[in-house]
Amino acid sequence: MKSPSTDAAPRIDGVPAVEWIAAHRHVLVDAAMAELRIDAVGDDAERAAQLRWILDYNVALFTRVFGGVASLDESSASELVASAALRAAEGFAVENLLETYVGGTAAIWRHLAAHVRPEELADLIALTGSLFEYLQGVMALVVRGYDREASRVRLGERDARYALYSALLAGADLDQASARSGLPVAHRYLVLTIRVAPEDSTGREAGHIASMRRGNALLRTLDSLAQGEVLAVIGDGRSTALIPLSDKTDTDEHERVREAIDGLSAELGLPVHAGACVAVASGVSHAASQAEEILDLVLAIDQPAGAWFLEDVLLPYQLTRPSAAFDVLRDRLGVLGEHPHWLRTLQTYAKQGWDRTATARALHVHPNTVDYRLRKMAQATGLDAGDPAQRPLVLAALHVRNTDGI
């Protein structure tokens, strides 16, 4: 910021602006406080005192910088930088901090502009430019101080959250993990393993922007379900979240999760699948394994997007658990690997509720073609999908085949 020369120095009410501002410093602060106090601090006397101090400090610093006595840098504004760091440590939003700086500067400008004489309009324009230049510089310093402290706080919070997240998943001593992290352990958690389908790479957004958008949308969705702080590791393909719930079971709990995941799919325009399980804190480790298994299962058997609990997939879940029958069922349909059109017909037939006409329509073939393929499969596998009595066994074999190796 250039300091004014003696002859060309802007004037207010016939007095050099530097002298006028210095003489009216407390009046300017009072005017700014009158405009800002209700919105910025309300009835909080301590915050009001802090705000008055910041305004007074800025008026004094502007006078020194504008008068050429000081340069605007982190040394001359060190108290402001420290104050911004304190706001960050308190969790004060940076946008509110900047709004206060801009609002205070505007209030001060309006008060001093009211004392400018008509012949001093050019002086007001010059003074306004210097005031904006000062505001730009001081806001940069303030944000720098805020961001340094906010980064330190975020790093500590992130490490604490991850320590508790890891302890819950590992089934470790939760009292000890809570004491070390400083975070409370909820009585119950909703455990979600989530997969967001890949986005078309030809979309309008750059890849990293799209990834950030998906991550932000996912976090908003998780927060909407939580009764506390969400613990999550967000990946580009899969994510795992531990969502604290209220102590009491809610009969609509599962439905709210389903609605939230459906809403996320709609917002992203992408299929979102989630394996879900609710457990007490000590059971989170087992619940996470089950949620992972459920997600793998619904993806393998081509279920639609949404949140899936164990109750939603009881039959295929049970049918696909390792047992002596698993290998036998898998082998019964082994021949279909050599006839992909047979397999597709059988899968479509099951999905269409064993309706040959609907199956033919979905495959764009004649119903007689469906009958022919089903007969050939029956001969090759010994499983007749056309026989209602054998359909549960056919469905079991399909589930086993689809989930083999997941």
Side-chain angles (χ1 to χ4, degrees), residues 207-261:
H208 64 287
I209 297 297
S211 177
M212 184 64 70
R213 179 175 61 85
R214 290 193 299 272
N216 287 339
L218 177 54
L219 286 173
R220 285 197 305 273
T221 300
L222 299 179
D223 285 338
S224 73
L225 295 168
Q227 298 291 322
E229 189 166 6
V230 174
L231 306 174
V233 171
I234 307 300
D236 213 23
R238 286 201 182 205
S239 305
T240 299
L242 312 181
I243 303 169
L245 301 175
S246 63
D247 292 349
K248 295 182 179 180
T249 302
D250 186 341
T251 55
D252 296 329
E253 210 164 58
H254 288 193
E255 191 56 36
R256 280 203 303 275
V257 176
R258 294 186 182 101
E259 289 175 358
I261 297 300

Side-chain angles (χ1 to χ4, degrees), residues 343-354:
L343 177 60
R344 187 178 173 211
T345 299
L346 184 57
Q347 290 171 330
T348 306
Y349 189 43
K351 193 173 288 189
Q352 295 296 329
W354 316 107

Side-chain angles (χ1 to χ4, degrees), residues 286-352:
H286 173 72
S289 298
Q290 188 175 92
E292 185 82 25
E293 289 175 343
I294 293 170
L295 177 61
D296 286 337
L297 175 64
V298 298
L299 291 173
I301 62 177
D302 196 26
Q303 295 289 59
W308 295 84
F309 291 84
L310 182 61
E311 66 196 49
D312 304 317
V313 289
L314 282 175
L315 178 60
Y317 188 90
Q318 182 61 38
L319 291 174
T320 53
R321 298 307 91 193
S323 70
F326 188 96
D327 291 340
V328 175
L329 286 170
R330 180 194 57 202
D331 293 344
R332 293 290 289 274
L333 296 184
V335 69
L336 298 188
E338 303 170 12
H339 302 278
H341 58 291
W342 289 5
L343 177 60
R344 187 178 173 211
T345 299
L346 184 57
Q347 290 171 330
T348 306
Y349 189 43
K351 193 173 288 189
Q352 295 296 329

Side-chain angles (χ1 to χ4, degrees), residues 88-89 147-165 177-184 229-231:
D147 195 52
R148 276 201 295 258
E149 178 62 17
S151 296
R152 187 190 67 78
V153 170
R154 284 194 299 268
L155 183 62
E157 290 178 345
R158 185 195 68 187
D159 289 347
R161 287 195 299 270
Y162 186 74
L164 183 56
Y165 171 90
S178 178
R180 287 179 175 175
S181 67
L183 297 174
E229 189 166 6
V230 174
L231 306 174

